[in-house]
Amino acid sequence: MDTKQKGDIAEQAAILEALKRGWNVLKPVGDRLSYDLVYEQSGSFIKIQVKSAWFDTSRKNWVIDTRRTKTNRRRMIRDSYSPDDFDFALVYIDELNIFYIFPVSVFIRYASEIHLVETDKRQRKPQSALYRNAWNLLTERAVHKEICV
């Protein structure tokens, strides 16, 4: 499977998860925007960037590229995201059916990659464990936006 197919699977999984939670999902036409989906909860709109993780066998962890990739016929350009590009990055590990929900401020702090460790054998949990299936962050954001309006 190529990276485009893996990305499509991650995006569909993010849509399905939102629908199961009773949220509305908007999907932009084309892929020119800095986000993949918009979740709507109680009148609040949350821009979502969806990423698919792959397993690095040498390091025995899951990896996500934190940069955007633009391609044309001749070359591939990688660039960093900015705080205004989206509200949350949803990182999907298809093989484990797990999401990591990173606020944009956390996601863009990483230079180019995030490495996720999915094992119970660690003595202390990595910082990324705070974001494992942290769907409450999206709900809290929607409630906060509602109060501010």
Side-chain angles (χ1 to χ4, degrees):
M1 218 181 315
D2 65 25
T3 56
K4 208 63 163 146
Q5 289 171 311
K6 289 180 181 183
D8 289 343
I9 289 169
E11 201 170 286
Q12 294 305 311
I15 291 170
L16 181 60
E17 186 64 36
L19 293 173
K20 285 180 179 180
R21 292 173 180 279
W23 303 339
N24 296 317
V25 180
L26 293 81
K27 180 149 176 43
V29 175
D31 60 358
R32 294 175 306 281
L33 298 174
S34 57
Y35 53 91
D36 297 311
L37 304 169
V38 175
Y39 288 169
E40 187 267 328
Q41 301 175 40
S42 307
S44 295
F45 295 92
I46 302 170
K47 296 182 291 185
I48 304 293
Q49 174 57 238
V50 180
K51 296 286 188 178
S52 179
W54 69 91
F55 192 72
D56 183 333
T57 52
S58 64
R59 293 183 178 174
K60 298 194 180 351
N61 61 27
W62 298 92
V63 183
I64 306 93
D65 193 335
T66 60
R67 301 166 295 178
R68 75 172 91 221
T69 304
K70 295 179 185 176
T71 57
N72 64 23
R73 293 177 201 190
R74 295 187 190 105
R75 62 186 182 153
M76 181 169 60
I77 301 167
R78 298 201 180 216
D79 192 16
S80 298
Y81 287 102
S82 74
D84 297 326
D85 285 337
F86 53 87
D87 300 312
F88 288 90
L90 270 62
V91 173
Y92 185 60
I93 302 175
D94 181 33
E95 293 80 352
L96 304 175
N97 193 31
I98 294 171
F99 281 96
Y100 280 79
I101 295 92
F102 291 99
V104 67
S105 60
V106 173
F107 190 79
I108 64 174
R109 267 191 252 146
Y110 292 87
S112 61
E113 292 179 345
I114 298 174
H115 293 259
L116 303 170
V117 178
E118 280 295 322
T119 180
D120 292 330
K121 295 180 181 177
R122 289 183 64 123
Q123 287 184 339
R124 68 180 174 88
K125 290 189 183 264
Q127 185 178 359
S128 60
L130 295 170
Y131 305 103
R132 189 180 194 269
N133 288 321
W135 295 99
N136 61 304
L137 295 176
L138 296 170
T139 304
E140 290 167 10
R141 171 69 181 256
V143 169
H144 177 72
K145 278 186 161 183
E146 247 182 83
I147 292 170
C148 293
V149 173

